[in-house]
Amino acid sequence: MKYLHLIWAALFRRKTRTILTLLSIIMAFLLFGMLDAVRISFAEAGQSANGAERLQTGARLSFIQTLPKSLTEKIAAVPGVKDVAFANWFGGAYQDPHNQVFTFAVSDNYLDVYPEVIVSAEDRKAFADDLNGILAGEMLIKKYGWKIGDTIPLQSQIFPNQEGSKNWSFKLVGVMSSKDGRAFQSGMIILHWKKFDETTPYNQGEVGWYVSRVTDVNQADRIARDIDALSANSDHETKTQTEQAATRNWIKQMADIGLIVTSIMGAVFFTLVLLTGNTMMQAVRERTNELAVLKTMGFSNHKVLGLVLGESVLLLLLGGAIGLALVSVIGAALPAMSGGMINNTHVGISSWVVGIALATGIGLLIGALPATRAMRINIVDALAGR
Amino acid sequence: MSTLVEIRDVSKTYERGKQKVEVLHHVNLDIQKGDFLALMGPSGSGKTTLLNLIGGLDSPSGGSISVGGQRIDKLGGGALAKWRAANVGFIFQFYNLLPMLSAQKNVEVPLLLTALSAAERKRNAAIALQLVGLADRASHKPTELSGGQQQRVAIARAFVSDPSLLVCDEPTGDLDRQSAEEVLGLLQVLNREHGKTIIMVTHDPKAAEYAKQTLHLDKGTLVEQAAA
Ligand SMILES: Nc1ncnc2c1ncn2[C@@H]1O[C@H](COP(=O)(O)OP(=O)(O)O)[C@@H](O)[C@H]1O
Ligand SMILES: [Mg+2]
């Protein structure tokens, strides 16, 4: 690419303008990289192999409604169910109500149905032995600088304790982690359901939802129907789904993340095209004379077209690459900021591929008009300043 | 001496809106290989137009132009660009260097169109800069050079790819007397020592004295004068 230095020189002919333009491109691709990471993170939620064999059973009408604990034995008795655990929403906040910490009150066997969550045997025993104990995800522990044995005050938005205060206090007895930091438990806290049920007057032997594992994934649909049949025509009808389906449903309720990402990026890139397109047009207009001089030396119209296209593509690739590289830097802070909801913040190969393709495409798009104009420059007129 | 440029019955018409203006009327001219021709005449007489036709920047409305036996009026845009790259060097009144590039890189630009390697381009450009006496300014940007120095860089750029024809449109029009003399002396060396055929438009009779022959153009017609 022997013309690269010519293109580079032309690009930085007006340093300030190019740097400002570059900054807006970097911002656009930074946003693209982050949103794409969020989108992928949501798409991957609950898609582990373990997730396929898990069924979630909640109240049919609303996930806020609770279910009787007595269902535990009945679900366990459904053919094909390996084990059943249950949990309640606790809704914790640490120190400040804005520091939301996902907290579940869980049955004693809760961790058994999530084999991907890693808890040392020692911590597990400590948790089993201490009714006031909690396990916290490694991400939370890192974020707040907790140590094993610390007393952790947690505020529930909903549930008061026996004194009528929503300020609870627990003892941190262990850590939950997962191989690649992917399990959502890495960013949450679990406490004993027994403790929760005994302490708050608001809950009397009720359960938020059940999580059961099946022995054969292929029978999951049939088992889900059997579980729901247990409560048919009762005042607590249930809806059982595989974990993926439940996650997908939940995300649908949150709105279509993919659509939001696409709309935002559409608006951002539209603005970017107008802005950089205008800059490129201006840049070529200013350089009419120089481009004409290149033509006198024998640069063909197509070469001049290529030089200008090369310039706009280089500008976009430069901004795009810096923006995407920055995502990895800034993205390192994102898992902690999102409380573990967003774990996948490195820019994956697919984001790079899409990003580079986008940059090239936008570069060609905004370069097309000025490049055509450059190609059509009439040497004699340009040299005479006409 | 053989004829390098053969201009036969050339006219050039420009359209201004609906009006057609004939700027050159049936010009005939032979330029010998190795000649140094000065072209003089009042402003608007068509000097630049004629020069642009000889240099293959524009095509005549009528007549024919051959350079080195090739009918350049018959060449299309792409072929004409190739022809220019191989056969003509241009020198302008306002130097027209690329402002972002060093003197060295400016001189290398025409060589990008050749098959030379990066090292050969670098070496040839350095030799050209040495010939115009600016070897020590190779890394300077145009804004860091005086007008006369910029024009010498432009001359180096014009001959670095070894064209047979140099076409200069008022090369000293923007220079003080001393710089002008340096530039004209340089053109003379290129003509006498290196055999370049030079056609130079000028307003300055003193500049024309450096040429071997002076022609006058008036209202689009050549008025031949005795050799200088
Ligand atoms: N591209 C063009 N369109 C219209 N008129 C032109 C164009 N080029 C030159 N002319 C006209 O042709 C005449 C000769 O121009 P030019 O060759 O530049 O003269 P000179 O170089 O002798 O001053 C002038 O009247 C000029 O206005
Ligand atoms: Mg002129």
PDB file of all heavy atoms in Angstrom, chain A residues 147-173:
ATOM      1  N   LYS A 147     -15.015  -9.469  53.584  1.00  0.00           N
ATOM      2  CA  LYS A 147     -14.197 -10.619  53.974  1.00  0.00           C
ATOM      3  C   LYS A 147     -15.092 -11.642  54.655  1.00  0.00           C
ATOM      4  O   LYS A 147     -16.138 -11.288  55.233  1.00  0.00           O
ATOM      5  CB  LYS A 147     -13.081 -10.177  54.948  1.00  0.00           C
ATOM      6  CG  LYS A 147     -11.931  -9.445  54.241  1.00  0.00           C
ATOM      7  CD  LYS A 147     -10.821  -9.072  55.191  1.00  0.00           C
ATOM      8  CE  LYS A 147     -11.211  -7.993  56.175  1.00  0.00           C
ATOM      9  NZ  LYS A 147     -11.537  -6.691  55.559  1.00  0.00           N
ATOM     10  N   ILE A 148     -14.681 -12.917  54.573  1.00  0.00           N
ATOM     11  CA  ILE A 148     -15.436 -13.969  55.252  1.00  0.00           C
ATOM     12  C   ILE A 148     -15.499 -13.623  56.746  1.00  0.00           C
ATOM     13  O   ILE A 148     -14.500 -13.224  57.331  1.00  0.00           O
ATOM     14  CB  ILE A 148     -14.742 -15.340  55.081  1.00  0.00           C
ATOM     15  CG1 ILE A 148     -14.530 -15.647  53.583  1.00  0.00           C
ATOM     16  CG2 ILE A 148     -15.529 -16.455  55.764  1.00  0.00           C
ATOM     17  CD1 ILE A 148     -15.785 -15.863  52.797  1.00  0.00           C
ATOM     18  N   GLY A 149     -16.672 -13.770  57.314  1.00  0.00           N
ATOM     19  CA  GLY A 149     -16.836 -13.448  58.730  1.00  0.00           C
ATOM     20  C   GLY A 149     -17.422 -12.057  58.956  1.00  0.00           C
ATOM     21  O   GLY A 149     -17.886 -11.747  60.052  1.00  0.00           O
ATOM     22  N   ASP A 150     -17.405 -11.219  57.908  1.00  0.00           N
ATOM     23  CA  ASP A 150     -17.976  -9.874  58.035  1.00  0.00           C
ATOM     24  C   ASP A 150     -19.477  -9.953  58.306  1.00  0.00           C
ATOM     25  O   ASP A 150     -20.159 -10.866  57.833  1.00  0.00           O
ATOM     26  CB  ASP A 150     -17.782  -9.080  56.732  1.00  0.00           C
ATOM     27  CG  ASP A 150     -16.366  -8.534  56.620  1.00  0.00           C
ATOM     28  OD1 ASP A 150     -15.581  -8.762  57.563  1.00  0.00           O
ATOM     29  OD2 ASP A 150     -16.066  -7.895  55.588  1.00  0.00           O
ATOM     30  N   THR A 151     -19.958  -8.979  59.067  1.00  0.00           N
ATOM     31  CA  THR A 151     -21.401  -8.820  59.215  1.00  0.00           C
ATOM     32  C   THR A 151     -21.878  -7.891  58.100  1.00  0.00           C
ATOM     33  O   THR A 151     -21.345  -6.793  57.928  1.00  0.00           O
ATOM     34  CB  THR A 151     -21.747  -8.221  60.578  1.00  0.00           C
ATOM     35  OG1 THR A 151     -21.293  -9.125  61.583  1.00  0.00           O
ATOM     36  CG2 THR A 151     -23.244  -7.998  60.719  1.00  0.00           C
ATOM     37  N   ILE A 152     -22.809  -8.371  57.306  1.00  0.00           N
ATOM     38  CA  ILE A 152     -23.258  -7.598  56.149  1.00  0.00           C
ATOM     39  C   ILE A 152     -24.676  -7.090  56.404  1.00  0.00           C
ATOM     40  O   ILE A 152     -25.618  -7.888  56.489  1.00  0.00           O
ATOM     41  CB  ILE A 152     -23.264  -8.483  54.872  1.00  0.00           C
ATOM     42  CG1 ILE A 152     -21.930  -9.217  54.694  1.00  0.00           C
ATOM     43  CG2 ILE A 152     -23.626  -7.644  53.649  1.00  0.00           C
ATOM     44  CD1 ILE A 152     -20.763  -8.340  54.358  1.00  0.00           C
ATOM     45  N   PRO A 153     -24.865  -5.788  56.514  1.00  0.00           N
ATOM     46  CA  PRO A 153     -26.218  -5.252  56.632  1.00  0.00           C
ATOM     47  C   PRO A 153     -26.885  -5.226  55.251  1.00  0.00           C
ATOM     48  O   PRO A 153     -26.288  -4.790  54.286  1.00  0.00           O
ATOM     49  CB  PRO A 153     -25.986  -3.829  57.149  1.00  0.00           C
ATOM     50  CG  PRO A 153     -24.615  -3.463  56.699  1.00  0.00           C
ATOM     51  CD  PRO A 153     -23.837  -4.742  56.542  1.00  0.00           C
ATOM     52  N   LEU A 154     -28.091  -5.742  55.175  1.00  0.00           N
ATOM     53  CA  LEU A 154     -28.810  -5.726  53.895  1.00  0.00           C
ATOM     54  C   LEU A 154     -30.195  -5.157  54.123  1.00  0.00           C
ATOM     55  O   LEU A 154     -30.870  -5.508  55.088  1.00  0.00           O
ATOM     56  CB  LEU A 154     -28.939  -7.139  53.322  1.00  0.00           C
ATOM     57  CG  LEU A 154     -27.778  -7.724  52.538  1.00  0.00           C
ATOM     58  CD1 LEU A 154     -28.170  -9.097  52.009  1.00  0.00           C
ATOM     59  CD2 LEU A 154     -27.354  -6.814  51.399  1.00  0.00           C
ATOM     60  N   GLN A 155     -30.591  -4.290  53.205  1.00  0.00           N
ATOM     61  CA  GLN A 155     -31.901  -3.676  53.308  1.00  0.00           C
ATOM     62  C   GLN A 155     -32.823  -4.382  52.331  1.00  0.00           C
ATOM     63  O   GLN A 155     -32.491  -4.527  51.169  1.00  0.00           O
ATOM     64  CB  GLN A 155     -31.751  -2.217  52.885  1.00  0.00           C
ATOM     65  CG  GLN A 155     -32.608  -1.263  53.644  1.00  0.00           C
ATOM     66  CD  GLN A 155     -32.253   0.161  53.253  1.00  0.00           C
ATOM     67  OE1 GLN A 155     -31.895   0.417  52.107  1.00  0.00           O
ATOM     68  NE2 GLN A 155     -32.332   1.065  54.198  1.00  0.00           N
ATOM     69  N   SER A 156     -33.988  -4.834  52.824  1.00  0.00           N
ATOM     70  CA  SER A 156     -34.955  -5.410  51.897  1.00  0.00           C
ATOM     71  C   SER A 156     -35.957  -4.326  51.524  1.00  0.00           C
ATOM     72  O   SER A 156     -36.341  -3.520  52.366  1.00  0.00           O
ATOM     73  CB  SER A 156     -35.699  -6.579  52.557  1.00  0.00           C
ATOM     74  OG  SER A 156     -36.754  -7.004  51.722  1.00  0.00           O
ATOM     75  N   GLN A 157     -36.362  -4.289  50.241  1.00  0.00           N
ATOM     76  CA  GLN A 157     -37.343  -3.270  49.861  1.00  0.00           C
ATOM     77  C   GLN A 157     -38.731  -3.653  50.350  1.00  0.00           C
ATOM     78  O   GLN A 157     -39.605  -2.820  50.495  1.00  0.00           O
ATOM     79  CB  GLN A 157     -37.410  -3.090  48.340  1.00  0.00           C
ATOM     80  CG  GLN A 157     -36.176  -2.478  47.745  1.00  0.00           C
ATOM     81  CD  GLN A 157     -35.322  -3.553  47.108  1.00  0.00           C
ATOM     82  OE1 GLN A 157     -35.178  -4.644  47.680  1.00  0.00           O
ATOM     83  NE2 GLN A 157     -34.752  -3.265  45.952  1.00  0.00           N
ATOM     84  N   ILE A 158     -38.914  -4.956  50.594  1.00  0.00           N
ATOM     85  CA  ILE A 158     -40.271  -5.427  50.863  1.00  0.00           C
ATOM     86  C   ILE A 158     -40.451  -5.970  52.270  1.00  0.00           C
ATOM     87  O   ILE A 158     -41.419  -5.658  52.961  1.00  0.00           O
ATOM     88  CB  ILE A 158     -40.661  -6.533  49.856  1.00  0.00           C
ATOM     89  CG1 ILE A 158     -40.328  -6.082  48.423  1.00  0.00           C
ATOM     90  CG2 ILE A 158     -42.142  -6.876  49.980  1.00  0.00           C
ATOM     91  CD1 ILE A 158     -40.303  -7.220  47.425  1.00  0.00           C
ATOM     92  N   PHE A 159     -39.490  -6.809  52.708  1.00  0.00           N
ATOM     93  CA  PHE A 159     -39.747  -7.629  53.886  1.00  0.00           C
ATOM     94  C   PHE A 159     -39.137  -7.075  55.174  1.00  0.00           C
ATOM     95  O   PHE A 159     -37.924  -6.887  55.250  1.00  0.00           O
ATOM     96  CB  PHE A 159     -39.225  -9.052  53.646  1.00  0.00           C
ATOM     97  CG  PHE A 159     -39.828  -9.687  52.427  1.00  0.00           C
ATOM     98  CD1 PHE A 159     -39.112  -9.779  51.239  1.00  0.00           C
ATOM     99  CD2 PHE A 159     -41.138 -10.178  52.463  1.00  0.00           C
ATOM    100  CE1 PHE A 159     -39.675 -10.361  50.119  1.00  0.00           C
ATOM    101  CE2 PHE A 159     -41.700 -10.761  51.336  1.00  0.00           C
ATOM    102  CZ  PHE A 159     -40.968 -10.844  50.156  1.00  0.00           C
ATOM    103  N   PRO A 160     -39.958  -6.843  56.176  1.00  0.00           N
ATOM    104  CA  PRO A 160     -39.447  -6.449  57.482  1.00  0.00           C
ATOM    105  C   PRO A 160     -39.022  -7.693  58.273  1.00  0.00           C
ATOM    106  O   PRO A 160     -39.491  -8.801  57.998  1.00  0.00           O
ATOM    107  CB  PRO A 160     -40.640  -5.777  58.146  1.00  0.00           C
ATOM    108  CG  PRO A 160     -41.830  -6.434  57.515  1.00  0.00           C
ATOM    109  CD  PRO A 160     -41.430  -6.870  56.128  1.00  0.00           C
ATOM    110  N   ASN A 161     -38.125  -7.524  59.251  1.00  0.00           N
ATOM    111  CA  ASN A 161     -37.782  -8.644  60.135  1.00  0.00           C
ATOM    112  C   ASN A 161     -38.721  -8.646  61.345  1.00  0.00           C
ATOM    113  O   ASN A 161     -39.706  -7.896  61.377  1.00  0.00           O
ATOM    114  CB  ASN A 161     -36.311  -8.577  60.547  1.00  0.00           C
ATOM    115  CG  ASN A 161     -35.957  -7.237  61.180  1.00  0.00           C
ATOM    116  OD1 ASN A 161     -36.843  -6.562  61.705  1.00  0.00           O
ATOM    117  ND2 ASN A 161     -34.700  -6.860  61.116  1.00  0.00           N
ATOM    118  N   GLN A 162     -38.387  -9.446  62.360  1.00  0.00           N
ATOM    119  CA  GLN A 162     -39.338  -9.573  63.470  1.00  0.00           C
ATOM    120  C   GLN A 162     -39.529  -8.270  64.246  1.00  0.00           C
ATOM    121  O   GLN A 162     -40.560  -8.048  64.860  1.00  0.00           O
ATOM    122  CB  GLN A 162     -38.964 -10.725  64.429  1.00  0.00           C
ATOM    123  CG  GLN A 162     -37.651 -10.550  65.162  1.00  0.00           C
ATOM    124  CD  GLN A 162     -36.510 -11.245  64.427  1.00  0.00           C
ATOM    125  OE1 GLN A 162     -36.196 -10.904  63.281  1.00  0.00           O
ATOM    126  NE2 GLN A 162     -35.908 -12.229  65.075  1.00  0.00           N
ATOM    127  N   GLU A 163     -38.530  -7.354  64.147  1.00  0.00           N
ATOM    128  CA  GLU A 163     -38.673  -6.065  64.832  1.00  0.00           C
ATOM    129  C   GLU A 163     -39.417  -5.053  63.972  1.00  0.00           C
ATOM    130  O   GLU A 163     -39.584  -3.895  64.368  1.00  0.00           O
ATOM    131  CB  GLU A 163     -37.292  -5.483  65.181  1.00  0.00           C
ATOM    132  CG  GLU A 163     -36.627  -6.165  66.363  1.00  0.00           C
ATOM    133  CD  GLU A 163     -35.313  -6.835  65.967  1.00  0.00           C
ATOM    134  OE1 GLU A 163     -34.571  -6.252  65.140  1.00  0.00           O
ATOM    135  OE2 GLU A 163     -35.053  -7.952  66.448  1.00  0.00           O
ATOM    136  N   GLY A 164     -39.820  -5.458  62.794  1.00  0.00           N
ATOM    137  CA  GLY A 164     -40.543  -4.533  61.920  1.00  0.00           C
ATOM    138  C   GLY A 164     -39.624  -3.631  61.122  1.00  0.00           C
ATOM    139  O   GLY A 164     -40.076  -2.739  60.420  1.00  0.00           O
ATOM    140  N   SER A 165     -38.310  -3.894  61.198  1.00  0.00           N
ATOM    141  CA  SER A 165     -37.371  -3.068  60.436  1.00  0.00           C
ATOM    142  C   SER A 165     -36.989  -3.791  59.145  1.00  0.00           C
ATOM    143  O   SER A 165     -36.863  -5.018  59.127  1.00  0.00           O
ATOM    144  CB  SER A 165     -36.127  -2.814  61.276  1.00  0.00           C
ATOM    145  OG  SER A 165     -35.059  -2.420  60.441  1.00  0.00           O
ATOM    146  N   LYS A 166     -36.786  -3.011  58.092  1.00  0.00           N
ATOM    147  CA  LYS A 166     -36.359  -3.638  56.840  1.00  0.00           C
ATOM    148  C   LYS A 166     -34.842  -3.787  56.768  1.00  0.00           C
ATOM    149  O   LYS A 166     -34.302  -4.245  55.776  1.00  0.00           O
ATOM    150  CB  LYS A 166     -36.872  -2.829  55.652  1.00  0.00           C
ATOM    151  CG  LYS A 166     -38.385  -3.000  55.469  1.00  0.00           C
ATOM    152  CD  LYS A 166     -38.903  -2.206  54.298  1.00  0.00           C
ATOM    153  CE  LYS A 166     -40.421  -2.359  54.223  1.00  0.00           C
ATOM    154  NZ  LYS A 166     -41.004  -1.402  53.274  1.00  0.00           N
ATOM    155  N   ASN A 167     -34.164  -3.352  57.825  1.00  0.00           N
ATOM    156  CA  ASN A 167     -32.709  -3.502  57.860  1.00  0.00           C
ATOM    157  C   ASN A 167     -32.344  -4.831  58.511  1.00  0.00           C
ATOM    158  O   ASN A 167     -32.508  -5.019  59.707  1.00  0.00           O
ATOM    159  CB  ASN A 167     -32.080  -2.348  58.638  1.00  0.00           C
ATOM    160  CG  ASN A 167     -32.283  -1.036  57.908  1.00  0.00           C
ATOM    161  OD1 ASN A 167     -32.121  -0.973  56.688  1.00  0.00           O
ATOM    162  ND2 ASN A 167     -32.663  -0.017  58.651  1.00  0.00           N
ATOM    163  N   TRP A 168     -31.863  -5.728  57.690  1.00  0.00           N
ATOM    164  CA  TRP A 168     -31.453  -7.040  58.151  1.00  0.00           C
ATOM    165  C   TRP A 168     -29.944  -7.069  58.274  1.00  0.00           C
ATOM    166  O   TRP A 168     -29.251  -6.196  57.752  1.00  0.00           O
ATOM    167  CB  TRP A 168     -31.875  -8.131  57.156  1.00  0.00           C
ATOM    168  CG  TRP A 168     -33.362  -8.264  56.930  1.00  0.00           C
ATOM    169  CD1 TRP A 168     -34.217  -7.296  56.526  1.00  0.00           C
ATOM    170  CD2 TRP A 168     -34.136  -9.447  57.087  1.00  0.00           C
ATOM    171  NE1 TRP A 168     -35.484  -7.785  56.405  1.00  0.00           N
ATOM    172  CE2 TRP A 168     -35.471  -9.128  56.746  1.00  0.00           C
ATOM    173  CE3 TRP A 168     -33.844 -10.762  57.497  1.00  0.00           C
ATOM    174  CZ2 TRP A 168     -36.510 -10.047  56.779  1.00  0.00           C
ATOM    175  CZ3 TRP A 168     -34.873 -11.687  57.514  1.00  0.00           C
ATOM    176  CH2 TRP A 168     -36.203 -11.330  57.172  1.00  0.00           C
ATOM    177  N   SER A 169     -29.481  -8.103  58.959  1.00  0.00           N
ATOM    178  CA  SER A 169     -28.040  -8.210  59.102  1.00  0.00           C
ATOM    179  C   SER A 169     -27.661  -9.682  59.062  1.00  0.00           C
ATOM    180  O   SER A 169     -28.291 -10.520  59.696  1.00  0.00           O
ATOM    181  CB  SER A 169     -27.649  -7.557  60.424  1.00  0.00           C
ATOM    182  OG  SER A 169     -26.373  -7.952  60.793  1.00  0.00           O
ATOM    183  N   PHE A 170     -26.650 -10.008  58.259  1.00  0.00           N
ATOM    184  CA  PHE A 170     -26.246 -11.407  58.080  1.00  0.00           C
ATOM    185  C   PHE A 170     -24.742 -11.533  58.256  1.00  0.00           C
ATOM    186  O   PHE A 170     -24.010 -10.541  58.233  1.00  0.00           O
ATOM    187  CB  PHE A 170     -26.625 -11.890  56.675  1.00  0.00           C
ATOM    188  CG  PHE A 170     -28.097 -11.801  56.386  1.00  0.00           C
ATOM    189  CD1 PHE A 170     -28.633 -10.719  55.679  1.00  0.00           C
ATOM    190  CD2 PHE A 170     -28.963 -12.793  56.836  1.00  0.00           C
ATOM    191  CE1 PHE A 170     -29.984 -10.643  55.414  1.00  0.00           C
ATOM    192  CE2 PHE A 170     -30.326 -12.724  56.574  1.00  0.00           C
ATOM    193  CZ  PHE A 170     -30.830 -11.645  55.865  1.00  0.00           C
ATOM    194  N   LYS A 171     -24.313 -12.803  58.363  1.00  0.00           N
ATOM    195  CA  LYS A 171     -22.879 -13.049  58.468  1.00  0.00           C
ATOM    196  C   LYS A 171     -22.404 -13.725  57.176  1.00  0.00           C
ATOM    197  O   LYS A 171     -22.975 -14.742  56.758  1.00  0.00           O
ATOM    198  CB  LYS A 171     -22.596 -13.949  59.669  1.00  0.00           C
ATOM    199  CG  LYS A 171     -21.115 -14.107  59.942  1.00  0.00           C
ATOM    200  CD  LYS A 171     -20.898 -14.960  61.187  1.00  0.00           C
ATOM    201  CE  LYS A 171     -19.482 -15.495  61.248  1.00  0.00           C
ATOM    202  NZ  LYS A 171     -19.385 -16.653  62.143  1.00  0.00           N
ATOM    203  N   LEU A 172     -21.400 -13.133  56.556  1.00  0.00           N
ATOM    204  CA  LEU A 172     -20.850 -13.705  55.330  1.00  0.00           C
ATOM    205  C   LEU A 172     -20.006 -14.923  55.679  1.00  0.00           C
ATOM    206  O   LEU A 172     -19.023 -14.819  56.398  1.00  0.00           O
ATOM    207  CB  LEU A 172     -19.990 -12.661  54.596  1.00  0.00           C
ATOM    208  CG  LEU A 172     -19.339 -13.124  53.287  1.00  0.00           C
ATOM    209  CD1 LEU A 172     -20.382 -13.475  52.246  1.00  0.00           C
ATOM    210  CD2 LEU A 172     -18.385 -12.055  52.756  1.00  0.00           C
ATOM    211  N   VAL A 173     -20.418 -16.109  55.187  1.00  0.00           N
ATOM    212  CA  VAL A 173     -19.681 -17.326  55.548  1.00  0.00           C
ATOM    213  C   VAL A 173     -19.004 -17.988  54.352  1.00  0.00           C
ATOM    214  O   VAL A 173     -18.244 -18.933  54.519  1.00  0.00           O
ATOM    215  CB  VAL A 173     -20.609 -18.359  56.235  1.00  0.00           C
ATOM    216  CG1 VAL A 173     -21.138 -17.804  57.562  1.00  0.00           C
ATOM    217  CG2 VAL A 173     -21.753 -18.762  55.310  1.00  0.00           C
TER     218      VAL A 173
END
